[in-house]
Amino acid sequence: MPQPTSNSHSELNAVLNRLDQLRPASISIETLQAMQATIHSEYSDLVARGLEYEQTATEALAEARPEILGRVKTQSTRLRAEMESLEDLDRKLFDAIHRRIVRDNMTARLGSRTGLIALEVIVMSLIVLVLGLLVYDTTAGPDSQRPTWLSSDSIFIIDAVCCLIFMGEFFLRLSCAESKAFVWKHHWVDFVTSIPIPGEAQLARFGRVARLARFARVLRVMRFLRFLRLFFLLWRGMDKLQDVIDVKLMKR
């Protein structure tokens, strides 16, 4: 069996690399919208086929032809599968279009694509920082056993400052979106992780309010909320890492 030459091997790799680049993020918004229009046209074709099948079934029933029962079931199953496939593709194109709109508008606001990448790298780095600090704050002992700059109060202040940056990035994204619902649907985790949650040391300073609210129960709720925030921060960090370096399957 002949072996491929080095030239053909290189050419094939080049072709495969170009094919790998054919992703929604690399396609223009106009082309994506044209694809979506094609899908909507195919919806109309499905409706026409469905009406045709319905007419055929009505005529067959009028003639009392028993084979129509199995045929109708087969045709309706096929139509439903095609419809679900079109709906899934339509949803993916809708998301890709609005994601591109948001990124293009953010790039324009920040002056360049480099500015957008820099913002994403900064946010990702701060997420890693906050994750590390929150894990340390959760597992470390009392403040008397920690360095001063890693006390509960210091960590909370750093977390709050980072959260201001996170919240700023979220509202920048929201203001750049054509569909606000799209941002809330896909980036609600960004908003949740932009809310600082105080630890036990901060809650203990509320004294009377804490006692009135049954302090022990409040602490349990806060610990749970902090755990959720840690999980969502990790999830958000995977999203940012995927955006910055475009690693396939990184989030999974």
Side-chain angles (χ1 to χ4, degrees):
M1 180 176 180
Q3 296 297 318
T5 65
S6 59
N7 287 339
S8 62
H9 188 271
S10 299
E11 185 177 357
L12 179 58
N13 275 332
V15 171
L16 292 175
N17 287 334
R18 289 196 297 272
L19 289 174
D20 285 341
Q21 297 303 314
L22 290 178
R23 299 188 299 272
S26 64
I27 302 174
S28 69
I29 293 177
E30 292 75 15
T31 302
L32 291 172
Q33 289 172 335
M35 290 179 177
Q36 200 171 37
T38 300
I39 288 176
H40 295 165
S41 175
E42 291 179 7
Y43 272 129
S44 300
D45 292 342
L46 277 183
V47 172
R49 284 166 55 193
L51 291 173
E52 183 181 343
Y53 290 157
E54 184 181 28
Q55 179 65 29
T56 301
T58 302
E59 293 173 358
L61 286 174
E63 298 172 4
R65 289 157 48 192
E67 74 276 4
I68 192 60
L69 298 176
R71 190 180 303 169
V72 165
K73 183 177 181 180
T74 300
Q75 291 172 341
S76 62
T77 300
R78 185 180 303 152
L79 278 178
R80 184 170 288 106
E82 291 183 39
M83 181 189 69
E84 290 173 353
S85 177
L86 285 177
E87 286 177 344
D88 183 58
L89 187 54
D90 189 26
R91 187 163 48 248
K92 288 178 180 177
L93 286 173
F94 176 86
D95 290 349
I97 289 168
H98 285 277
R99 193 170 287 111
R100 281 294 303 277
I101 290 173
V102 170
R103 290 185 68 82
D104 288 353
N105 288 340
M106 288 180 71
T107 299
R109 292 272 188 94
L110 296 171
S112 66
R113 180 168 172 77
T114 303
L116 176 60
I117 293 175
L119 175 62
E120 290 176 337
V121 170
I122 289 170
V123 170
M124 185 182 69
S125 302
L126 292 179
I127 288 173
V128 173
L129 171 65
V130 171
L131 271 172
L133 290 176
L134 290 180
V135 170
Y136 175 84
D137 194 36
T138 303
T139 58
D143 285 353
S144 59
Q145 299 176 4
R146 308 184 191 183
T148 305
W149 67 279
L150 286 176
S151 66
S152 293
D153 288 343
S154 298
I155 289 175
F156 182 70
I157 291 171
I158 295 172
D159 184 23
V161 171
C162 291
C163 283
L164 286 175
I165 299 173
F166 295 157
M167 194 68 78
E169 188 232 9
F170 173 80
F171 281 108
L172 171 63
R173 189 181 300 276
L174 188 66
S175 67
C176 290
E178 183 178 285
S179 170
K180 311 301 181 188
F182 169 82
V183 175
W184 281 108
K185 178 182 177 181
H186 292 274
H187 296 278
W188 62 270
V189 170
D190 296 4
F191 180 79
V192 169
T193 54
S194 300
I195 303 172
I197 298 176
E200 298 179 14
Q202 287 79 30
L203 283 175
R205 290 180 174 79
F206 287 101
R208 295 177 183 174
V209 175
R211 283 194 293 273
L212 288 174
R214 297 181 181 178
F215 189 50
R217 184 174 299 173
V218 172
L219 282 182
R220 285 197 295 270
V221 172
M222 284 301 178
R223 288 194 194 103
F224 178 69
L225 290 178
R226 270 202 155 191
F227 170 78
L228 280 182
R229 183 157 177 256
L230 279 169
F231 173 79
F232 286 138
L233 269 171
L234 182 61
W235 182 271
R236 183 180 182 183
M238 291 297 100
D239 270 342
K240 289 298 177 188
L241 190 59
Q242 190 178 40
D243 288 340
V244 172
I245 62 177
D246 195 22
V247 177
K248 293 180 181 179
L249 301 181
M250 176 62 71
K251 185 174 173 182
R252 295 181 186 175

